[in-house]
Amino acid sequence: MCKHLLHNLSGVADECSPTSSTIGDLAASWWYDFDMGTTHVLRVGDRGRVVLPVELREELGLQQGDYITVTVVDGKLTAQSPSEALGRVRRALRGTGVVEELLADRRREAALP
């Protein structure tokens, strides 16, 4: 665990010594699993490319050639599948009457001479 964490943070694999308890304490702390359990440190490569780890692709069901939607909000990058993005919009609009209002507007526009 410690070797993996140091490799991700510094880009250089380094063995943990018994005296380097800071990383061990970090990994053992309750918030680490909560906040960092699904966090992946990725490197931006040639021409801005980012490679998603296989574990992440499998968890999200992503295959080669699939698209993801990337959004920046408050300096945070969020990536999701287009179907998940559409689902979030649908859930946010559910019960608001927006769709019915839009359809009524379109019907009124179609009825104009």
Side-chain angles (χ1 to χ4, degrees):
M1 170 70 165
C2 194
K3 179 178 179 180
H4 176 71
L5 183 62
L6 284 175
H7 177 74
N8 282 337
L9 292 176
S10 68
V12 177
D14 188 13
E15 293 292 338
C16 291
S17 67
T19 59
S20 63
S21 62
T22 306
I23 298 296
D25 292 344
L26 175 68
S29 64
W30 67 269
W31 60 266
Y32 181 82
D33 285 334
F34 174 75
D35 195 37
M36 299 293 286
T38 57
T39 299
H40 298 272
V41 178
L42 307 176
R43 180 177 295 193
V44 178
D46 185 35
R47 297 185 297 197
R49 294 179 182 183
V50 176
V51 176
L52 300 177
V54 67
E55 307 88 37
L56 186 58
R57 293 191 311 267
E58 287 174 352
E59 182 179 335
L60 298 174
L62 295 173
Q63 302 293 322
Q64 182 176 345
D66 286 352
Y67 289 93
I68 57 173
T69 302
V70 179
T71 309
V72 177
V73 177
D74 296 328
K76 296 178 184 176
L77 183 71
T78 303
Q80 58 190 339
S81 67
S83 61
E84 177 59 27
L86 180 59
R88 289 180 62 145
V89 169
R90 286 181 175 165
R91 288 188 298 276
L93 294 178
R94 188 174 294 139
T96 63
V98 171
V99 173
E100 292 79 13
E101 185 179 329
L102 178 63
L103 289 173
D105 284 346
R106 295 295 184 256
R107 289 184 186 119
R108 279 193 295 275
E109 289 173 3
L112 292 176

